[in-house]
């Protein structure tokens, strides 16, 4: 006697197995003044630019210009930023260093260091 699995069940099973994570968690965001310096991606940006530096574990030249959504876990506010730099002081692979302008979109500068969730959107 042969057993057969209905096609619908097999399709549902495959769908569950191939789901991808929706974002990176367990990280924190800080901010840095740009001071006219050229970032690791080779471009100087203003403090008001909506940019981010990735941790050394995640930074690669191929990520330059990619868009990221960053969400402050304390208040739910989000900002979209572009990768423009590396963050050598980010020790957790999911930490990010935001520009002043980006940080102010989701927190007060006095907060300094906030828990975040983030994901690539491009």
């Amino acid at each position: 006697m042969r057993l057969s699995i209905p096609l619908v069940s097999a399709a549902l099973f495959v769908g569950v197995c191939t789901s991808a994570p929706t974002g990176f968690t367990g990280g924190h965001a800080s901010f840095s003044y740009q001071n006219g310096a050229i970032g690791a991606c080779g471009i100087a940006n203003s403090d008001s630019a909506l940019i981010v530096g990735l941790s050394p574990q995640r930074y690669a030249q191929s990520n330059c210009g990619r868009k990221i959504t960053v969400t402050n876990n304390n208040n739910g506010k989000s900002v979209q930023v572009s990768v423009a730099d590396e963050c050598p002081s980010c020790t957790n692979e999911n930490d990010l260093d935001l520009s002043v302008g980006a940080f102010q979109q989701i927190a007060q500068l006095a907060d300094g260091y906030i828990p975040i969730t983030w994901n690539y959107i491009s």
Side-chain angles (χ1 to χ4, degrees), residues 20-108:
T22 58
F24 298 100
T25 61
H28 290 83
S30 57
F31 67 89
S32 293
Y33 290 94
Q34 302 307 301
N35 296 320
I38 295 174
C41 292
I43 300 170
N45 289 284
S46 67
D47 288 332
S48 62
L50 300 180
I51 58 169
V52 63
L54 299 177
S55 67
Q57 299 94 319
R58 295 216 183 267
Y59 177 80
Q61 194 73 28
S62 60
N63 284 328
C64 291
R66 286 187 76 182
K67 303 283 187 205
I68 292 176
T69 296
V70 181
T71 302
N72 179 340
N73 293 344
N74 289 336
N75 62 20
K77 291 183 179 180
S78 295
V79 64
Q80 290 184 3
V81 293
S82 297
V83 175
D85 206 356
E86 181 178 6
C87 174
S89 62
C90 293
T91 55
N92 177 319
E93 67 181 347
N94 294 331
D95 286 352
L96 299 175
D97 188 33
L98 298 171
S99 63
V100 171
F103 194 88
Q104 288 178 315
Q105 295 284 317
I106 61 172
Q108 299 295 314

